[in-house]
Amino acid sequence: MLIKIKKSAQSSDIQLIRQLLDQHNLGHRVINGQDMVIGVEANPSEEVAREIHSLNGVESATPIATPFKLASLAAKPEKTVIRAGGVEIGGNSVILMAGPCAIESKEQLEDVALGLKGTGVSVLRASAYKPRTSPYSFQGMGEEGLKLHSEAKKQHGLLIETEVMDVRDVALVASHVDIVRIGARNMQNFDLLKEVGKCGKPVILKRGMSATIEEWLMSAEYIIAHGNPDVILCERGIRTFENATRSTLDLSSIPVLKRLTHLPVIVDPSHAAGRKDLIPALAAAAVAAGADGLLIEVHANPKKAKCDGKQALLPHEWADLVGQLRKVAQAVGRSI
Amino acid sequence: MLIKIKKSAQSSDIQLIRQLLDQHNLGHRVINGQDMVIGVEANPSEEVAREIHSLNGVESATPIATPFKLASLAAKPEKTVIRAGGVEIGGNSVILMAGPCAIESKEQLEDVALGLKGTGVSVLRASAYKPRTSPYSFQGMGEEGLKLHSEAKKQHGLLIETEVMDVRDVALVASHVDIVRIGARNMQNFDLLKEVGKCGKPVILKRGMSATIEEWLMSAEYIIAHGNPDVILCERGIRTFENATRSTLDLSSIPVLKRLTHLPVIVDPSHAAGRKDLIPALAAAAVAAGADGLLIEVHANPKKAKCDGKQALLPHEWADLVGQLRKVAQAVGRSI
Amino acid sequence: MLIKIKKSAQSSDIQLIRQLLDQHNLGHRVINGQDMVIGVEANPSEEVAREIHSLNGVESATPIATPFKLASLAAKPEKTVIRAGGVEIGGNSVILMAGPCAIESKEQLEDVALGLKGTGVSVLRASAYKPRTSPYSFQGMGEEGLKLHSEAKKQHGLLIETEVMDVRDVALVASHVDIVRIGARNMQNFDLLKEVGKCGKPVILKRGMSATIEEWLMSAEYIIAHGNPDVILCERGIRTFENATRSTLDLSSIPVLKRLTHLPVIVDPSHAAGRKDLIPALAAAAVAAGADGLLIEVHANPKKAKCDGKQALLPHEWADLVGQLRKVAQAVGRSI
Amino acid sequence: MLIKIKKSAQSSDIQLIRQLLDQHNLGHRVINGQDMVIGVEANPSEEVAREIHSLNGVESATPIATPFKLASLAAKPEKTVIRAGGVEIGGNSVILMAGPCAIESKEQLEDVALGLKGTGVSVLRASAYKPRTSPYSFQGMGEEGLKLHSEAKKQHGLLIETEVMDVRDVALVASHVDIVRIGARNMQNFDLLKEVGKCGKPVILKRGMSATIEEWLMSAEYIIAHGNPDVILCERGIRTFENATRSTLDLSSIPVLKRLTHLPVIVDPSHAAGRKDLIPALAAAAVAAGADGLLIEVHANPKKAKCDGKQALLPHEWADLVGQLRKVAQAVGRSI
């Protein structure tokens, strides 16, 4: 259930509502957005619902069938369009986000930014903090990387996005970039979700490798319920027995999500495939299936990349791909 | 390794080759196609390879790196185009196969065939033998269904395809239909694969629910190695933890297969999704990813369907969908 | 629902029952066992149930909540004990079945049978028909192998069990062996299940690689519903993303099954692990979890084995293992 | 590779070693444990290895075949025994850790501690911070819960363990409890792993829901490489398609791990099963498979539990179970 609080409500009114919920063991959370809302874990019995309706501070109380509430179409039937810089994510345009896996140097960012020029890319992706399986692998350039990223933004007029892994880095990261990214391994790092809920920047939430679509939406709900409605879901493959690809890209999640949530959905075929030769087919399929954007790895010198070189496209391959994607987007009534 | 036998070879020459292979514990099989070929389980050592080359009946002996041999691009780099009636599967056209899950009655087939008219469908799919989880469920109309299917073919000028489950039914089924189908549950029913290898009709080989792409190609190899080169691979989803869909449609398999095999690849989004609202997005994605055809369930009266009614499109929904798919096909340089 | 038919019922009475079921679209099947029973796909509405009860030939009509009916504890609360030769499977004793993957020669069977002597083994496992991923691999000795197996039985006083893959071989196989085995790949080969339902010998039904426990029980239901109540379920691992083992042995299935069915459950750790060093730990775990038997690969000369040599124990390793398993069995109130 | 540094080495010597590694793009990390060691991501070429050996500060340089280095048996063949209070984890005794899912109140902890008395339990498990799928669910008592936990420790002479989720809480949590726990969702929260690497208390590292055994060991390597060798691996099930249990307990991981690592391995059957009726069979199987300990949920009043009540045993059920487990432990040469 979602309880909308009257603008005129006093804090004592809110106290009374919460007491009633506690009394019936209904987990909940007060959310201060444009309107004040109380998200309630479950739908109360009819009797309790009537009691809630009758309370002073309550403007409306809407039962929601799904465990995610604010993220649900039931709560908000119109599609969410997220504005970052002049870019609209979730609108008619399919948004292109491209760049290297990791930030490695000023020159590397420079080279890739130049390579992306004129290809319709809105957002330069790159990571300063890298979740690496081995403690002995390159862990990212950290704050120094963020600064290089910021410079590239100014120089090339691209928005920038990057991953944040540590709650202690959220404020710093958010101060540098236009879009904050939560990686697949942190999809259920709930303290991190709470923190980006307060960061004031749109958040790309990657699907966890073994997360159901429902769990993924519950993680989006965490971010919204902590104050940030600008969540972009990013499908990047799930772990299955098939080993021809690194993960199995679950493109069914796109139409499934469109029937469950108003949030925009983008696709990262690079991490799913783990090899660049599959990217064109998967990117085209994602656009055809209704993706609102793509997140793709491009590197001007993949052989020297410090990570994931095998899955990065060269700038000219990327440019060719965009040409093809544009046609597919038009075929499904979208633009690039 | 694939050993091509000289046209002039005597049976004693072939005996000598086989003795040599046996001596080195190299599993193999003699295949009588247009050319006589011996498929060998593994690649022999260089020394043994030289010995093979020197034998009388050997025209050529090609090592193949993958465990599938005849199905590999290494053995045959040009794409296989399968001709059934006037239809070419694997060519530039994306082939549409549609129809009900099960054959239920003359009227039902009639209704759906009329509904498909003019939508670009080449093949009327429908099953007379049904693999049902429960022994108490409708098991299909059997031979009577095959006859209805044949009649519909004559009446409506459509090719027909159907599933075969029992080795004892292969000849009968092949005498009725244009294309024989092996279902997901029988992908590794090797005796059935051997039997359809001898049936003289093209075979749709559905991917097993837990089959890797390599295992799938090995099952195709069985059919080819038993005399039938006309195998059409059909992606229909794999089993994963995600339960928003019945199976997880693995569209990555399309570009992966294109890099491994010359065989055509089609997609069945209906059984993967298990719900019809996802079909349009998944069908469009399949075409964009490079599918050579689609196998989709359409029923004129899904609510009365004896099985899988929830995933069947209505004829008018199908017609709308084809309109959209045509645009996507054009966008990727194909036609419908 | 299970409808028990009166001994005095006429065929016209049965006709009437079936007509009523058809009229309400209730899939069903008449089963001629000790009693005549009609298995019904689903539970009818209360009204229809009353009507059924009132019919002449009906002795009782029991709604069953699970989709498997005869296999359910609801239908038969007491544990099924299957008698084959003098051996009881499903009783207090944990039954040991051991032997090579494939029958390769008279000497090979002889060697392993001697190696198993005195270790408490009841059943000599070995396959004459082999489901092989590659059409070029050794496919088993076929009927010749069955004869060698029969001879070994006579010579060594062991029961024998073997796999059947082709419906056309069921009668032949059943005439040779004491227990017929359905392999994992054929768990949903429904025509084969129907055939072994009529074969008159106990059937080991291996779990499919991607089968849920419920689907597995539905396949057991097929066998029982076609006349054969003597089904032994065999857990052999499911396919997951983990690749340290060939399959993931799902030992939870044992206690889950004990709460759902009266059928005995055995475990095959050899095919699950795919490597022999894990067998002792997994076999001990299976016994501790409540397995009614074990199916384990033992070979006197694994290095020369035509298949699966890496997972076969040597006879002396097997003898050591049985010593350990005996202690675990006693610890959980069982004997070996 | 692991490079052991001479006690006499100067910081300039270490600098030289690191420069050489950087020069060859070999990721690495200096670890200050009892000895100073440099962990190197990969094994260098023979030539580079010779160069490393020749450097001044190098005492030894051991190539390690696996990606985990310090966690490998190659690095340390003898089993690690972790001492916490008077308890030895990884020795002959199978260690019992039991308690409620979440800390709810002083009375609740009191009740369960009394219930565990005399059952051989060494460690009282309970969580003050709870990773919950819904932002509206009870999130744990936090610091207040830690204090109640500490009091229970003093009162009942049990060691205590609890989960830590947020890097900012690590020091606080470690100051209260004897053993820190990393939950499945955080297995690849690398910043958290680094932080508990510095916390000075043994760490239970739960396996991620979709983590391979190798990835799990890589996460253990993170903790060790950041200064904490006392890592206890905890198998708690992996996510598969099977839904009869919440996760599929992968008991094969126990013998697999014993062949790869010296670290102790414990098993949590409660979270894997998600229902208490399976716990006795799974706990017995875990002990038979070689587990060094068990982590099991026990609650004196599960119906009122704020989370996971369905999987918690009652104290008297727990006491019965320990009696059975003791016999199984003896059967495999261990004690409880």
Side-chain angles (χ1 to χ4, degrees):
Chain A
M1 173 170 273
L2 284 173
I3 302 172
K4 195 169 164 189
I5 304 300
K6 281 190 186 144
K7 297 247 184 257
S8 61
Q10 313 269 306
S11 71
S12 59
D13 294 331
I14 295 165
Q15 263 329 93
L16 277 174
I17 302 170
R18 302 192 63 183
Q19 275 168 24
L20 180 61
L21 294 169
D22 280 337
Q23 198 183 312
H24 294 283
N25 279 315
L26 290 161
H28 61 275
R29 178 170 173 78
V30 180
I31 303 149
N32 285 297
Q34 248 180 309
D35 301 301
M36 185 183 277
V37 162
I38 301 181
V40 187
E41 188 180 12
N43 291 329
S45 68
E46 263 185 59
E47 202 192 321
V48 176
R50 264 195 304 275
E51 223 177 319
I52 292 170
H53 275 284
S54 72
L55 288 179
N56 229 343
V58 173
E59 177 154 329
S60 67
T62 317
I64 309 269
T66 52
F68 43 93
K69 309 295 175 191
L70 296 162
S72 73
L73 275 182
K76 176 172 179 291
E78 68 281 4
K79 225 179 145 179
T80 289
V81 176
I82 294 170
R83 284 165 188 84
V87 176
E88 289 191 350
I89 301 160
N92 187 264
S93 233
V94 177
I95 300 306
L96 303 181
M97 310 186 185
C101 183
I103 298 166
E104 300 170 31
S105 70
K106 186 177 165 62
E107 293 66 36
Q108 174 233 25
L109 276 189
E110 187 72 14
D111 289 350
V112 79
L114 289 172
L116 297 175
K117 196 152 257 176
T119 64
V121 167
S122 309
V123 182
L124 177 66
R125 64 144 287 145
S127 296
Y129 301 94
K130 293 295 310 163
R132 302 303 300 276
T133 308
S134 168
Y136 308 121
S137 299
F138 172 63
Q139 309 271 312
M141 291 183 76
E143 189 170 357
E144 199 191 339
L146 292 177
K147 287 177 185 161
L148 297 177
H149 212 174
S150 286
E151 279 178 43
K153 171 186 164 130
K154 282 175 217 148
Q155 194 106 20
H156 301 282
L158 289 164
L159 299 185
I160 58 176
E161 68 87 60
T162 206
E163 176 162 358
V164 64
M165 294 166 56
D166 187 322
V167 285
R168 296 166 297 194
D169 296 330
V170 171
L172 176 71
V173 166
S175 75
H176 277 282
V177 301
D178 301 289
I179 303 173
V180 163
R181 187 187 345 124
I182 300 288
R185 289 173 185 77
N186 281 315
M187 193 202 83
Q188 290 193 319
N189 179 340
F190 298 115
D191 291 295
L192 187 58
L193 299 179
K194 291 173 184 175
E195 215 58 49
V196 298
K198 296 177 268 176
C199 80
K201 291 284 170 72
V203 177
I204 291 176
L205 178 65
K206 287 202 159 184
R207 181 179 186 179
M209 270 182 282
S210 61
T212 62
I213 291 171
E214 187 174 299
E215 288 168 341
W216 189 12
L217 285 170
M218 291 307 288
S219 288
E221 186 81 10
Y222 257 94
I223 300 173
I224 307 174
H226 283 78
N228 191 342
D230 291 344
V231 180
I232 301 156
L233 300 164
C234 180
E235 165 66 36
R236 48 77 69 211
I238 56 175
R239 187 159 266 186
T240 71
F241 61 83
E242 176 57 68
N243 50 24
T245 43
R246 196 196 279 172
S247 300
T248 297
L249 191 67
D250 179 15
L251 290 176
S252 309
S253 69
I254 304 174
V256 169
L257 284 166
K258 299 284 179 193
R259 274 146 195 81
L260 294 173
T261 187
H262 48 84
L263 298 171
V265 185
I266 67 172
V267 172
D268 171 357
S270 304
H271 283 86
R275 40 188 276 204
K276 75 172 179 178
D277 60 340
L278 310 180
I279 306 302
L282 293 179
V287 171
D292 296 307
L294 292 168
L295 186 65
I296 295 190
E297 295 203 357
V298 179
H299 197 291
N301 196 349
K303 283 186 185 160
K304 295 216 170 153
K306 289 206 175 178
C307 60
D308 286 343
K310 275 193 287 191
Q311 73 199 33
L313 296 174
L314 288 163
H316 75 88
E317 295 167 332
W318 166 252
D320 286 355
L321 175 54
V322 173
Q324 294 163 34
L325 296 179
R326 201 159 270 140
K327 291 185 213 157
V328 177
Q330 279 161 5
V332 295
R334 306 285 289 262
S335 65
I336 283 187
Chain B
M1 173 171 271
L2 284 173
I3 302 172
K4 195 171 165 187
I5 305 299
K6 282 188 185 145
K7 295 243 184 260
S8 60
Q10 312 269 307
S11 73
S12 59
D13 293 331
I14 296 166
Q15 262 330 93
L16 278 173
I17 302 170
R18 302 192 64 184
Q19 275 168 25
L20 180 62
L21 294 170
D22 280 338
Q23 197 182 314
H24 294 282
N25 279 315
L26 290 161
H28 62 275
R29 178 171 174 78
V30 179
I31 303 149
N32 286 297
Q34 248 180 309
D35 302 300
M36 184 182 277
V37 162
I38 301 181
V40 187
E41 186 179 14
N43 290 329
S45 68
E46 264 185 59
E47 203 192 320
V48 176
R50 266 196 302 275
E51 224 177 318
I52 292 171
H53 274 285
S54 73
L55 286 180
N56 229 342
V58 173
E59 177 153 329
S60 67
T62 316
I64 309 270
T66 52
F68 43 93
K69 311 295 177 192
L70 296 162
S72 73
L73 275 182
K76 176 171 178 291
E78 67 280 5
K79 226 179 143 177
T80 289
V81 177
I82 295 171
R83 283 163 189 84
V87 177
E88 289 191 349
I89 301 159
N92 186 263
S93 233
V94 177
I95 301 304
L96 302 181
M97 312 186 184
C101 182
I103 298 166
E104 298 169 33
S105 70
K106 187 176 163 64
E107 293 66 38
Q108 174 233 24
L109 277 188
E110 188 71 13
D111 288 351
V112 80
L114 289 172
L116 296 175
K117 196 153 256 175
T119 64
V121 168
S122 310
V123 183
L124 178 64
R125 65 144 288 147
S127 296
Y129 302 94
K130 293 293 312 162
R132 302 303 300 276
T133 307
S134 169
Y136 309 121
S137 300
F138 172 61
Q139 310 270 315
M141 291 183 75
E143 188 169 357
E144 197 189 340
L146 292 177
K147 287 177 185 160
L148 296 178
H149 211 174
S150 286
E151 279 177 44
K153 171 184 164 135
K154 281 175 218 147
Q155 194 105 22
H156 300 283
L158 289 165
L159 299 185
I160 59 175
E161 68 88 62
T162 205
E163 175 162 358
V164 64
M165 291 167 59
D166 188 321
V167 286
R168 296 166 299 193
D169 297 330
V170 170
L172 177 70
V173 166
S175 76
H176 276 281
V177 302
D178 302 289
I179 303 173
V180 164
R181 185 183 352 119
I182 301 288
R185 287 172 187 79
N186 281 314
M187 193 202 84
Q188 291 193 317
N189 180 340
F190 298 116
D191 291 296
L192 187 59
L193 299 179
K194 291 173 183 175
E195 215 58 48
V196 298
K198 296 177 268 177
C199 80
K201 290 284 170 72
V203 177
I204 291 176
L205 178 66
K206 287 203 159 184
R207 182 181 187 177
M209 269 182 283
S210 62
T212 61
I213 291 172
E214 187 175 297
E215 289 168 342
W216 189 12
L217 285 170
M218 292 307 289
S219 289
E221 186 80 11
Y222 256 95
I223 300 173
I224 307 175
H226 283 78
N228 190 342
D230 291 343
V231 180
I232 301 156
L233 300 164
C234 180
E235 166 67 35
R236 47 78 68 214
I238 56 175
R239 187 158 268 189
T240 71
F241 62 83
E242 176 57 66
N243 50 23
T245 44
R246 196 195 279 171
S247 300
T248 297
L249 191 67
D250 178 16
L251 290 176
S252 309
S253 69
I254 304 175
V256 169
L257 284 167
K258 299 284 179 191
R259 275 146 193 82
L260 293 173
T261 186
H262 48 84
L263 298 171
V265 185
I266 66 172
V267 172
D268 171 356
S270 304
H271 282 86
R275 42 189 272 204
K276 76 172 179 178
D277 61 339
L278 309 180
I279 306 302
L282 293 178
V287 171
D292 296 307
L294 292 169
L295 185 65
I296 295 190
E297 295 201 359
V298 179
H299 196 293
N301 196 349
K303 282 186 187 160
K304 294 219 171 150
K306 290 207 173 178
C307 60
D308 286 344
K310 274 193 289 188
Q311 73 200 33
L313 296 175
L314 287 163
H316 75 89
E317 294 167 332
W318 166 253
D320 286 354
L321 175 54
V322 173
Q324 295 163 33
L325 295 178
R326 200 160 271 141
K327 290 185 213 157
V328 177
Q330 280 162 3
V332 295
R334 305 286 289 262
S335 65
I336 284 186
Chain C
M1 173 172 271
L2 285 171
I3 302 172
K4 196 170 164 187
I5 306 298
K6 281 190 187 147
K7 296 245 184 261
S8 60
Q10 312 268 307
S11 72
S12 58
D13 293 331
I14 296 166
Q15 263 330 91
L16 279 173
I17 301 170
R18 301 192 64 184
Q19 275 167 25
L20 180 61
L21 294 170
D22 280 338
Q23 198 184 312
H24 293 282
N25 279 317
L26 289 161
H28 61 276
R29 178 172 174 77
V30 180
I31 303 149
N32 285 297
Q34 248 181 310
D35 301 302
M36 184 182 278
V37 163
I38 301 181
V40 186
E41 188 179 11
N43 291 329
S45 68
E46 263 185 61
E47 204 191 319
V48 177
R50 263 195 305 273
E51 224 177 317
I52 292 170
H53 274 284
S54 73
L55 287 179
N56 229 343
V58 173
E59 176 152 332
S60 67
T62 318
I64 310 271
T66 53
F68 44 92
K69 309 295 175 192
L70 295 163
S72 74
L73 276 182
K76 177 171 179 291
E78 68 281 3
K79 227 181 142 175
T80 289
V81 177
I82 295 171
R83 281 163 193 84
V87 177
E88 290 190 352
I89 301 159
N92 186 265
S93 234
V94 177
I95 301 305
L96 302 181
M97 311 186 184
C101 181
I103 299 167
E104 299 169 31
S105 70
K106 187 178 165 62
E107 294 65 38
Q108 174 233 25
L109 276 189
E110 187 73 14
D111 288 351
V112 78
L114 289 172
L116 296 175
K117 195 153 257 178
T119 63
V121 167
S122 308
V123 182
L124 178 64
R125 66 144 286 148
S127 296
Y129 302 94
K130 291 295 310 162
R132 301 305 298 276
T133 308
S134 170
Y136 309 120
S137 299
F138 173 61
Q139 309 270 313
M141 291 183 74
E143 189 170 357
E144 197 189 342
L146 292 176
K147 287 178 185 160
L148 296 178
H149 212 174
S150 286
E151 279 178 45
K153 172 185 163 134
K154 281 175 217 147
Q155 194 105 21
H156 300 282
L158 290 164
L159 300 184
I160 59 176
E161 70 87 61
T162 206
E163 177 162 358
V164 64
M165 291 166 59
D166 188 322
V167 285
R168 296 167 297 194
D169 296 330
V170 170
L172 177 71
V173 166
S175 75
H176 276 283
V177 302
D178 302 288
I179 303 173
V180 163
R181 186 187 347 124
I182 301 287
R185 288 172 186 77
N186 281 314
M187 193 203 83
Q188 291 192 318
N189 180 339
F190 298 116
D191 292 295
L192 187 58
L193 299 179
K194 291 173 184 176
E195 216 57 50
V196 299
K198 297 177 268 177
C199 81
K201 291 285 169 73
V203 177
I204 291 175
L205 177 66
K206 286 201 161 187
R207 182 179 186 178
M209 269 182 283
S210 60
T212 62
I213 290 171
E214 189 175 296
E215 289 169 340
W216 189 11
L217 285 170
M218 291 307 289
S219 288
E221 186 81 10
Y222 256 95
I223 300 173
I224 307 175
H226 283 78
N228 190 343
D230 290 343
V231 180
I232 301 156
L233 300 163
C234 179
E235 165 67 35
R236 48 76 69 213
I238 55 175
R239 188 159 266 189
T240 71
F241 62 83
E242 176 58 65
N243 51 23
T245 45
R246 195 195 279 173
S247 300
T248 297
L249 192 66
D250 179 15
L251 289 176
S252 309
S253 71
I254 304 174
V256 169
L257 285 166
K258 299 284 178 192
R259 273 147 195 82
L260 294 173
T261 186
H262 48 84
L263 297 170
V265 186
I266 67 172
V267 172
D268 172 356
S270 303
H271 282 85
R275 43 188 272 205
K276 75 173 180 178
D277 60 340
L278 309 181
I279 306 303
L282 293 178
V287 171
D292 295 309
L294 292 168
L295 185 66
I296 294 189
E297 293 202 359
V298 179
H299 197 291
N301 196 349
K303 284 185 186 160
K304 296 219 170 148
K306 290 206 175 179
C307 63
D308 286 345
K310 274 195 289 189
Q311 73 199 34
L313 296 174
L314 287 163
H316 75 89
E317 294 167 332
W318 165 253
D320 285 355
L321 174 55
V322 173
Q324 294 162 34
L325 296 177
R326 201 159 270 140
K327 289 185 213 159
V328 176
Q330 280 162 4
V332 294
R334 306 285 290 262
S335 65
I336 285 187
Chain D
M1 172 172 272
L2 284 172
I3 302 172
K4 195 169 164 186
I5 304 300
K6 281 186 186 150
K7 297 244 183 261
S8 60
Q10 313 269 307
S11 72
S12 60
D13 295 331
I14 295 166
Q15 263 329 91
L16 278 173
I17 302 170
R18 302 192 64 183
Q19 276 169 22
L20 180 63
L21 294 170
D22 281 337
Q23 198 183 312
H24 293 282
N25 280 315
L26 290 160
H28 62 275
R29 178 171 173 77
V30 180
I31 303 148
N32 287 295
Q34 249 181 309
D35 302 302
M36 185 183 276
V37 162
I38 301 180
V40 187
E41 190 180 10
N43 290 330
S45 68
E46 262 186 60
E47 203 191 321
V48 176
R50 263 195 305 275
E51 223 178 317
I52 292 171
H53 274 285
S54 72
L55 288 179
N56 230 343
V58 173
E59 177 153 329
S60 67
T62 317
I64 309 271
T66 52
F68 44 93
K69 310 297 175 189
L70 296 162
S72 73
L73 275 182
K76 178 172 177 291
E78 68 281 3
K79 225 180 144 175
T80 289
V81 177
I82 295 170
R83 282 163 191 85
V87 177
E88 289 191 352
I89 301 160
N92 186 264
S93 234
V94 177
I95 300 305
L96 303 180
M97 311 186 185
C101 182
I103 299 167
E104 299 169 31
S105 70
K106 187 177 164 62
E107 294 64 39
Q108 174 233 26
L109 276 188
E110 187 73 14
D111 288 352
V112 79
L114 289 172
L116 296 175
K117 194 153 257 175
T119 64
V121 167
S122 308
V123 182
L124 178 65
R125 66 144 285 145
S127 296
Y129 302 94
K130 292 294 311 163
R132 300 304 298 277
T133 307
S134 169
Y136 310 120
S137 299
F138 172 62
Q139 310 269 313
M141 292 184 73
E143 187 169 358
E144 198 191 340
L146 292 176
K147 286 176 186 162
L148 296 177
H149 211 175
S150 285
E151 277 177 45
K153 170 185 165 134
K154 280 174 216 147
Q155 194 106 20
H156 300 283
L158 289 164
L159 299 185
I160 59 176
E161 69 87 61
T162 206
E163 176 162 358
V164 65
M165 291 168 59
D166 187 322
V167 287
R168 296 167 298 193
D169 297 330
V170 172
L172 177 72
V173 166
S175 75
H176 275 282
V177 302
D178 301 288
I179 303 174
V180 164
R181 187 187 345 124
I182 301 288
R185 287 171 187 79
N186 281 314
M187 193 203 84
Q188 291 193 318
N189 180 340
F190 298 117
D191 291 296
L192 187 59
L193 299 179
K194 291 173 184 176
E195 215 58 48
V196 298
K198 296 178 268 178
C199 80
K201 289 284 170 71
V203 177
I204 291 175
L205 178 66
K206 286 201 161 185
R207 182 180 187 178
M209 270 182 282
S210 61
T212 62
I213 291 171
E214 188 174 297
E215 289 169 339
W216 188 12
L217 284 170
M218 291 307 289
S219 288
E221 186 81 9
Y222 257 93
I223 300 173
I224 307 175
H226 283 78
N228 191 342
D230 291 342
V231 179
I232 301 156
L233 300 163
C234 180
E235 165 67 35
R236 49 76 71 213
I238 56 176
R239 187 160 267 188
T240 71
F241 62 84
E242 176 58 65
N243 50 23
T245 44
R246 195 196 279 172
S247 300
T248 297
L249 192 66
D250 178 15
L251 290 176
S252 309
S253 70
I254 303 174
V256 168
L257 285 167
K258 299 285 178 190
R259 275 147 194 81
L260 293 173
T261 186
H262 48 83
L263 298 170
V265 186
I266 67 172
V267 173
D268 171 356
S270 304
H271 283 85
R275 43 189 273 205
K276 75 173 181 178
D277 60 339
L278 309 181
I279 306 303
L282 293 178
V287 171
D292 295 308
L294 292 168
L295 185 66
I296 294 189
E297 293 202 359
V298 179
H299 196 292
N301 196 351
K303 282 184 188 162
K304 297 218 171 149
K306 290 206 175 179
C307 61
D308 286 344
K310 275 195 287 189
Q311 72 199 34
L313 297 174
L314 288 163
H316 74 90
E317 294 167 332
W318 166 253
D320 285 355
L321 174 54
V322 173
Q324 293 163 32
L325 295 178
R326 201 159 270 140
K327 290 186 214 158
V328 176
Q330 280 161 4
V332 295
R334 306 284 290 261
S335 64
I336 285 188

